[in-house]
């Protein structure tokens, strides 16, 4: 009898692990391949990304305000200059007051990598890796890999080419993608844990040497790769950042491993 | 002329005196000559801004700019100066940017040192060892796209003794642009990467817009004056055949270098390169600046003007003033068309006003094919003058202008098997005015066409793929 109970319990555990229910407001993404624009070595043209959980929406001003209330050291009047530049949360009226310049449901922006990382950790998660973020963002509404959808490509490039000087939209108002995730494109840039992994040199035309692939600039892109231009722009953007930087259109969302390892 | 010695003789020692904040100017203006006889430290603050501005009448484009306009602000220093350049990336911008100045001696021309995230600033210093007129541009990935969006300008490194004085100096920079919509398709037009790769420009313009140097904004001068143009070409792709219709360049500093050629009709300006041209003006009138790769001038916007006032010189030139056929809608775009638009608003639009406005618009959009006298070219472009086909059906004529015409038609008994492109980039008023003019000229007699009628056809019919809505 004892044995049977134990056996059943085992099955239970297995089932839970298999179809592990997503935490609230997170989607299960992957597993899937990620093809970096600049593969670290020839053998790593494709990286296998394990399944993970990703916030369905970017973190909002309201959510970040709650975090700041709980963790005074991340208030804009308390934060150390090592962890954020002087624009940190500058669109809020006060240290604990969003005010008219920051809508409750807008994604929080003007946050540094340090602050984003601390937020995710306080919520039991972490920042997504670039490979994870890119895997999630490679999907359109109907398919996990939208690289052959020109309309979707066009929409992404259109966002990159619109100036940013207008109020941000609210989170979760777009159509969720294949994984059920909102706003990966068309709302903000997002921090990733390894934001400068694919460091693009400041001069994006340099060639040769060990960094050849990474520094190859547009010259190395064939016309057939033109749908990689969006990837290119994201990598250029990320590589211009430093961990203490804050930018008006740069926010984040959190990720989590499937189960505690 | 002795050899200037290039960079080997360009170092005049450490900067002297107090640092000088550089005067930067928007095109077509230039900063004044430095008038200095010693090397100084010159501080340049250049701010990158991503802005929406018109590239043509009714057509907006998101430009990425050094200083708020295309081309970027003009920088003027003296050979041997030490330049401290601050690149500020405006907080509202979406993109990181940097700057590569062709005037810099050193790898990357400054690009690596100035790669800057939105809301941040970077700085680097260089000594301007070579004199000449140099292009600067952004070199952030995707480089072609940053340049295609307008990220270029000029820096002039004066020879130590300066240039001889002239009456006017102007800054003109050409660039090619690639939009998803066709030439003059209205509205905000996104960048088209595929067209850029194919080097199939939608616009080729001076100073960032079709209209930047026409009408009120034409360059100005007087008879007897000497002009110096600082010409740049940002590209990204096309080499310019720069020419001023009715003028001969007395001197051209080819490629912006030190020596000049004399008596030049057309000078090549490479993408990422420059030229300085000088000429004395003897005869008054309107001079047309073009890229003499000429379809760019009349079909893509590479056309500017210099208006010269002064005494006629019939002994030199007896000819008539601006040739309106040549200039098409640029000659007097404003008056007739503007008047019709104004009266239209006031509800007082008459057939005569429509005809007057339609005439200018016709010269600009239809006369290339159907000819200014409406008679077309037999076998190729059907006549509009006394065309039985045109006059038979008013609704159909609206449809033809909006949606184009393809396949065989018989006009006045003669068959045509050709293609007319859709002209849907024209707005309802413009089409109504053109058709009212066409249906009441060269012996044609018909009723006026109202904007409402055009609107109705626009709503009822579909545009062919690729045409403006
Ligand atoms: Cu740029």
């Amino acid at each position: 009898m004892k044995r049977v109970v134990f056996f059943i319990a085992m099955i239970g555990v297995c089932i839970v692990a298999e179809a592990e229910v997503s935490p609230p407001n997170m989607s299960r993404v992957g597993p899937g391949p990620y093809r970096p624009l600049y593969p670290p070595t020839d053998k790593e043209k494709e990286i296998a990304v394990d399944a993970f959980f990703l916030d369905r929406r970017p973190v909002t001003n309201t959510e970040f305000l709650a975090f700041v209330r709980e963790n005074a050291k991340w208030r804009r009047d308390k934060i150390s200059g090592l962890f954020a530049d002087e624009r940190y949360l500058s669109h809020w009226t006060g240290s604990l007051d969003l005010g008219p310049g920051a809508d409750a449901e807008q994604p929080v922006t003007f946050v540094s990598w340090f602050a984003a990382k601390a937020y995710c950790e306080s919520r039991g998660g972490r920042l997504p890796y670039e490979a994870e973020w890119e895997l999630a963002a490679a999907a359109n509404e109907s398919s996990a890999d939208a690289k052959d959808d020109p309309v979707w490509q066009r929409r992404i490039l259109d966002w990159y080419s619109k100036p940013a000087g207008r109020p941000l939209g609210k989170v979760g108002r777009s159509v969720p993608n294949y994984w059920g995730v909102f706003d990966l494109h068309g709302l903000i840039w997002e921090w990733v844990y390894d934001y400068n992994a694919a460091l693009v040199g400041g001069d994006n035309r340099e060639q040769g040497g060990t960094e050849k692939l990474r520094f190859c600039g547009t010259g190395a892109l064939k016309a057939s790769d033109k749908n990689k231009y969006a990837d290119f722009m994201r990598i250029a953007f990320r590589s211009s950042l430093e961990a203490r930087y804050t930018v008006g259109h740069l926010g984040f969302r959190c990720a989590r491993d499937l189960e505690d390892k | 002329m002795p050899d200037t010695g290039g960079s080997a003789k360009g170092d005049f020692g450490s900067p002297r005196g107090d640092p000088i904040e550089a005067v930067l100017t928007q095109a077509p203006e230039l900063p004044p000559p430095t008038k200095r006889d010693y090397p100084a430290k010159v501080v340049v603050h250049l701010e990158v801004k991503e802005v929406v501005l018109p590239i043509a009448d009714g057509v907006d484009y998101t430009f990425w700019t050094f200083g708020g306009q295309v081309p970027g602000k003009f920088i003027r220093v003296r050979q041997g100066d030490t330049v401290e350049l601050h690149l500020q990336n405006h907080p509202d911008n979406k993109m990181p940017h940097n700057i590569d100045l062709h005037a810099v001696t050193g790898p990357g021309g400054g690009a690596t040192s100035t790669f800057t995230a939105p809301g941040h600033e970077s700085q680097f210093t260089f000594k301007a060892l070579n004199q000449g007129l140099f292009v600067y541009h952004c070199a952030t990935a995707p480089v072609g796209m940053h340049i295609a969006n307008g990220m270029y300008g000029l820096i002039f490194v004066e020879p130590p003794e300066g240039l001889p004085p002239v009456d006017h100096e102007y800054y003109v920079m050409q660039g090619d642009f690639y939009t998803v919509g066709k030439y003059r398709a209205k509205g905000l037009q996104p960048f088209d990467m595929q067209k850029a790769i194919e080097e199939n420009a939608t616009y080729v313009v001076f100073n960032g817009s079709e209209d930047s140097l026409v009408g009120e904004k034409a360059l100005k001068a007087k008879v007897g004056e000497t002009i110096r143009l600082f010409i740049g070409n940002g590209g990204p792709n096309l080499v310019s055949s720069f020419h001023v219709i009715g003028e001969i360049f007395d001197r051209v500093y080819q490629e912006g270098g030190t020596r000049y050629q004399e008596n030049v009709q057309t000078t090549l300006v490479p993408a990422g390169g420059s030229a300085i041209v000088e000429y004395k003006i003897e005869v008054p009138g309107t001079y047309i600046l073009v890229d003499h790769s000429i379809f760019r001038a009349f079909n893509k916007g590479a056309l500017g003007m210099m208006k010269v006032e002064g005494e006629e010189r019939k002994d030199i030139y007896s000819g008539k003033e601006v040739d309106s056929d040549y200039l098409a809608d640029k000659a007097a775009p404003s008056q007739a068309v503007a008047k019709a638009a104004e009266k239209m608003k006031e509800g007082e639009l008459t057939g005569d006003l429509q005809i007057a406005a339609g005439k200018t618009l016709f010269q600009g959009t239809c006369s290339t094919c159907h000819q200014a006298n409406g008679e077309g070219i037999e076998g190729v472009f059907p006549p509009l003058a006394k065309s039985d086909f045109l006059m038979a059906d008013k609704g159909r004529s609206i449809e033809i202008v909006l949606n184009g015409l393809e396949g065989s038609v018989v006009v006045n008994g003669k068959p045509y098997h050709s293609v007319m492109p859709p002209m849907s980039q024209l707005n309802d008023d413009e089409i109504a005015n053109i058709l009212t003019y066409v249906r009441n000229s060269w012996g044609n007699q018909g009723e006026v066409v109202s904007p409402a009628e055009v609107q109705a056809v626009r709503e009822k019919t579909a545009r062919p793929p690729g045409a403006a809505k």
Side-chain angles (χ1 to χ4, degrees), chain B residues 64 96-98 138 140 146 151:
Chain B
W64 298 348
H97 300 283
N98 61 7
C138 182
T140 297
H146 283 250
M151 298 206 71

Side-chain angles (χ1 to χ4, degrees), chain A residues 85 87 154 159 202 204 226, chain B residues 94 98 119-120 141-142 191 194:
Chain A
D85 66 22
R87 284 208 176 76
R154 173 81 259 156
W159 180 73
N204 305 132
K226 74 167 197 311
Chain B
K94 245 178 211 166
N98 61 7
H120 293 79
F191 168 69
Q194 190 59 40

Side-chain angles (χ1 to χ4, degrees), chain A residues 127-148:
Chain A
L127 281 171
Y129 288 96
E130 180 175 49
E132 292 173 334
W133 195 97
E134 290 290 338
L135 173 69
N140 63 6
E141 289 83 29
S142 53
S143 132
D145 185 353
K147 71 171 181 306
D148 297 323

Side-chain angles (χ1 to χ4, degrees), chain A residues 38 85-87 110 154 157-166 187 189 200-206 217-218 222-223 226 229 232-233 235-241 244-249, chain B residues 50-52 62 64 91-96 98 100 102 107-109 111-113 115-121 137-146 149 180 188 190-194 197:
Chain A
Y38 304 114
D85 66 22
E86 63 288 352
R87 284 208 176 76
F110 288 113
R154 173 81 259 156
L157 283 174
D158 281 357
W159 180 73
Y160 293 145
S161 64
K162 272 189 206 112
R166 62 189 77 195
L187 187 60
W189 300 105
V200 172
D203 185 338
N204 305 132
R205 301 155 300 174
E206 292 169 22
T218 53
K222 295 190 293 291
K226 74 167 197 311
Y229 265 81
F232 221 127
M233 287 160 86
I235 289 176
F237 178 83
R238 286 178 199 137
S239 60
S240 76
L241 299 173
R244 57 184 288 277
Y245 277 16
T246 74
V247 176
H249 290 75
Chain B
E50 297 165 5
V51 291
V52 175
T62 303
W64 298 348
D92 281 346
N93 290 349
K94 245 178 211 166
M95 294 294 155
N98 61 7
D100 163 356
H102 293 176
T112 326
S113 341
F115 189 44
T116 311
H120 293 79
E121 175 179 329
H137 64 90
C138 182
T140 297
V143 180
M145 180 174 184
H146 283 250
N149 284 343
V180 170
L188 179 67
F191 168 69
D192 189 317
M193 179 61 72
Q194 190 59 40
I197 291 168

Side-chain angles (χ1 to χ4, degrees), chain A residues 67-78:
Chain A
F67 163 72
V68 171
R69 279 190 206 286
E70 294 156 20
N71 302 278
K73 85 178 240 232
W74 295 102
R75 287 165 53 143
R76 96 179 171 197
D77 55 345
K78 300 262 165 72

